[in-house]
């Protein structure tokens, strides 16, 4: 199997950019690749996408040269398995609050001896058994585990979470954190920003990649300055709305 380019870039210390994808359009995946994004997060948590659609989008992403990550709804082994079996380069999992949560996720995402991921050689991830059983060691090396820490409980347990082997990215979710702090949606409030910046320093010191969401280039640059290297830059629906609105306003004033 081919190298996970996204994982390689992060190991090299690069900053990577990619939008969340809620629309089931392969054309939008290709456009994201041609625009220069490094990855897409195919969102089965908040969007309407199902697994067959996500698999087709992974297939398009690989063809276009952009890395597909699948976000699932919850830390559930069958969902982890399906996201990886369809050929996602990594699984992104919300609401990780404890060391036990993170350990359970790694067990579900990795084959033995690193975990207990169910084995089938006839999946897209395993190249339908075209390369034999040796592919499972390679999948362990190349697949990524990305976790959302997006609540006060998770931040309080961050030191223990970062000690779990097998994690690649810890994604700080500003919107859910704002809700956890009792100020839902106020992602620019100093109480949210300060907690995220403190967490980013802690994650970086643990040798893991810090990720977060930014709804604009300006916000992305601020978070990059704070140490974030995995930037989820907006959502396909929001990008399309923003572009359409700017064009309409430019004509109508």
């Amino acid at each position: 199997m081919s190298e996970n380019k996204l994982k390689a870039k992060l190991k090299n210390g690069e900053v990577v950019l990619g939008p969340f994808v809620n629309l089931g359009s392969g054309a939008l995946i290709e456009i994201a690749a041609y625009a220069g994004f490094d990855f897409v997060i195919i969102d089965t948590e908040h969007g309407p996408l199902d697994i067959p659609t996500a698999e087709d989008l992974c297939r398009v992403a690989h063809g276009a040269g952009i890395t597909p990550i699948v976000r699932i709804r919850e830390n559930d082994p069958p969902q982890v398995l399906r996201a990886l079996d369809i050929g996602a380069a990594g699984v992104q999992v919300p609401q990780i609050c404890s060391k036990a949560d993170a350990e359970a996720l790694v067990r579900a995402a990795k084959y033995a001896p690193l975990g207990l991921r169910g084995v089938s050689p006839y999946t897209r991830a395993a190249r339908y058994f075209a390369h034999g059983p040796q592919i499972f060691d390679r999948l362990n090396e190349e697949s990524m585990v990305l976790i959302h820490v997006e609540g006060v409980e998770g931040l309080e347990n961050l030191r223990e979470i970062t000690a779990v082997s097998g994690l690649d990215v810890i994604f700080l979710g500003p919107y859910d954190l704002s809700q956890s702090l009792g100020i839902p949606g106020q992602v620019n409030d100093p109480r949210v920003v300060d907690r995220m910046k403190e967490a980013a320093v802690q994650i970086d010191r643990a040798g893991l990649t810090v990720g977060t969401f930014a709804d604009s280039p300006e916000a992305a640059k601020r978070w990059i300055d704070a140490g974030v290297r995995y930037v989820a830059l907006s959502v396909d629906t929001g990008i399309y709305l923003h572009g359409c609105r700017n064009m309409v306003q430019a004509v109508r004033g």
Side-chain angles (χ1 to χ4, degrees), residues 4 27 29 78 109 147 187 202 210-211 225 235 237:
N4 185 334
I29 300 286
I147 66 171
V187 296
Q202 192 171 345
V210 186
D225 288 342
V235 184
T237 52

Side-chain angles (χ1 to χ4, degrees), residues 119-149:
V119 177
S120 171
Y122 299 104
T123 63
R124 181 171 184 271
R127 303 300 188 266
Y128 310 109
F129 214 10
H131 301 307
Q134 64 270 19
I135 196 170
F136 296 111
D137 288 339
R138 183 69 171 160
L139 286 169
N140 266 355
E141 293 173 7
E142 295 296 334
S143 63
M144 296 178 66
V145 178
L146 309 94
I147 66 171
H148 284 232
V149 173

Side-chain angles (χ1 to χ4, degrees), residues 179-231:
Q179 175 161 268
S180 181
L181 291 169
I183 47 175
Q186 299 182 45
V187 296
N188 294 316
D189 187 284
R191 287 169 287 183
V192 176
V193 174
D194 290 347
R195 292 296 293 269
M196 288 180 60
K197 286 184 175 179
E198 291 170 4
V201 171
Q202 192 171 345
I203 294 164
D204 183 67
R205 285 176 178 170
L208 296 171
T209 297
V210 186
T212 196
F213 175 79
D215 58 7
S216 69
E218 294 75 23
K221 290 177 181 178
R222 288 196 298 272
W223 284 118
I224 290 168
D225 288 342
V228 172
R229 293 194 291 116
Y230 177 89
V231 182

Side-chain angles (χ1 to χ4, degrees), residues 78-199:
Q79 291 185 47
V80 174
L81 177 66
R82 297 192 78 189
L84 292 172
D85 276 358
I86 64 174
V91 60
Q92 189 161 322
V93 183
Q95 296 296 344
I96 299 298
C97 298
S98 67
K99 178 182 179 182
D101 288 345
E103 289 175 336
L105 171 57
V106 173
R107 283 196 301 271
K110 299 294 184 181
Y111 298 109
L114 304 180
L116 298 173
R117 176 179 169 184
V119 177
S120 171
Y122 299 104
T123 63
R124 181 171 184 271
R127 303 300 188 266
Y128 310 109
F129 214 10
H131 301 307
Q134 64 270 19
I135 196 170
F136 296 111
D137 288 339
R138 183 69 171 160
L139 286 169
N140 266 355
E141 293 173 7
E142 295 296 334
S143 63
M144 296 178 66
V145 178
L146 309 94
I147 66 171
H148 284 232
V149 173
E150 47 195 347
V152 172
E153 182 182 359
L155 291 181
E156 290 176 347
N157 293 324
L158 190 57
R159 187 178 301 279
E160 291 184 350
I161 292 171
T162 58
V164 174
S165 179
L167 303 177
D168 295 287
V169 176
I170 296 186
F171 187 95
L172 301 171
Y175 280 94
D176 280 312
L177 177 57
S178 70
Q179 175 161 268
S180 181
L181 291 169
I183 47 175
Q186 299 182 45
V187 296
N188 294 316
D189 187 284
R191 287 169 287 183
V192 176
V193 174
D194 290 347
R195 292 296 293 269
M196 288 180 60
K197 286 184 175 179
E198 291 170 4

